[in-house]
Amino acid sequence: QVKLQQSGAELVKPGASVKLSCKTSGYTFSTSYMSWFKQIPGQSIEWIGMIYAGDGGTGYNQKFKGKATLTVDTSSSTAYMDLSSLTTEDSAVYFCASPNYGSYDYWGQGVMVTVSS
Amino acid sequence: DTVLTQSPALAVSPGERVTISCRASESVSTGMHWYQQKPGQQPKLLIYGASNLESGVPARFSGSGSGTDFTLTIDPVEADDTATYFCQQSWNDPNTFGAGTKLELK
């Protein structure tokens, strides 16, 4: 079955960067898309961007350009998201999810990123 | 960006019918999808394309609407349906989500 397994919780200092991973199984990752989302607990969900594993092509929400960088490693069927120059406003839960004609049918379990000195 | 407006909270009794609304600030055609999210969990897709039931989701859930006004209906509501429900549009870039409707059972 399809599974998206995200890396563990992160505690990082302001100004630092963090790289989150989303390891997939159960489907053909190399010809698929992956999207990433941000959710501050108790709040709504924001779409960060999407990457096509076939050629690494990306599309970003304007709000997250310069903040998030999406990459993939097709040899390990893993998607990554780098978050840079972190501030307390970046503290949130981040999800990866596979798009399917506009909706998102499979989600990772989410990873909590806490930015604190 | 397309703003999706949802009522913040609803409280219903088990066995009742509940409708959760989502209004878009501009037309999204039928590019509207609904999710259920329980505390500490990832969102779960319920309805895609405004009215299509995701595989494995109970037929108690249904969706309707097009353009700017959409509805998620649960009939009958069960205790396990306690959760926050989000609408999401994919018609306009970027994808956006509503603020969520928290459903509580009396």
Side-chain angles (χ1 to χ4, degrees):
Chain A
Q1 74 281 23
V2 175
K3 191 169 183 180
L4 279 60
Q5 183 67 39
Q6 296 188 241
S7 44
E10 299 274 1
L11 173 61
V12 294
K13 294 189 185 303
S17 298
V18 69
K19 188 169 187 173
L20 309 179
S21 66
C22 175
K23 183 169 178 58
T24 73
S25 59
Y27 70 104
T28 306
F29 176 77
S30 60
T31 56
S32 300
Y33 292 84
M34 183 67 72
S35 283
W36 289 85
F37 300 84
K38 174 184 179 181
Q39 185 177 35
I40 296 172
Q43 296 188 24
S44 187
I45 303 166
E46 295 181 279
W47 177 76
I48 296 171
M50 181 167 63
I51 186 166
Y52 177 57
D55 61 7
T58 55
Y60 293 93
N61 185 333
Q62 185 69 31
K63 177 179 179 180
F64 292 95
K65 283 185 177 178
K67 171 62 66 178
T69 302
L70 306 184
T71 56
V72 295
D73 177 0
T74 54
S75 68
S76 64
S77 298
T78 302
Y80 297 94
M81 178 170 68
D82 269 291
L83 296 170
S84 63
S85 303
L86 291 165
T87 71
T88 55
E89 294 185 354
D90 297 315
S91 293
V93 178
Y94 292 88
F95 293 99
C96 58
S98 63
N100 186 9
Y101 295 101
S103 64
Y104 300 92
D105 51 359
Y106 294 100
W107 293 70
Q109 82 276 21
V111 55
M112 182 72 209
V113 174
T114 303
V115 182
S116 174
S117 55
Chain B
D1 296 0
T2 303
V3 176
L4 303 181
T5 301
Q6 298 182 244
S7 50
L10 289 170
V12 298
S13 298
E16 291 185 344
R17 178 177 184 267
V18 65
T19 59
I20 298 171
S21 64
C22 178
R23 174 165 287 179
S25 61
E26 58 187 321
S27 177
V28 300
S29 186
T30 55
M32 182 64 77
H33 322 287
W34 290 93
Y35 301 84
Q36 176 193 68
Q37 187 178 35
K38 297 182 178 180
Q41 295 185 17
Q42 65 270 53
K44 174 186 176 183
L45 178 64
L46 300 174
I47 301 290
Y48 63 93
S51 60
N52 300 288
L53 188 68
E54 172 70 354
S55 176
V57 174
R60 303 184 291 105
F61 293 88
S62 63
S64 65
S66 66
T68 60
D69 290 296
F70 298 84
T71 299
L72 172 70
T73 300
I74 312 172
D75 186 16
V77 171
E78 296 183 357
D80 188 53
D81 299 334
T82 297
T84 299
Y85 293 84
F86 292 95
C87 55
Q88 173 240 330
Q89 68 82 23
S90 59
W91 189 256
N92 302 311
D93 187 43
N95 282 200
T96 51
F97 288 75
T101 297
K102 189 172 184 179
L103 179 65
E104 296 181 342
L105 278 288
K106 295 178 184 175

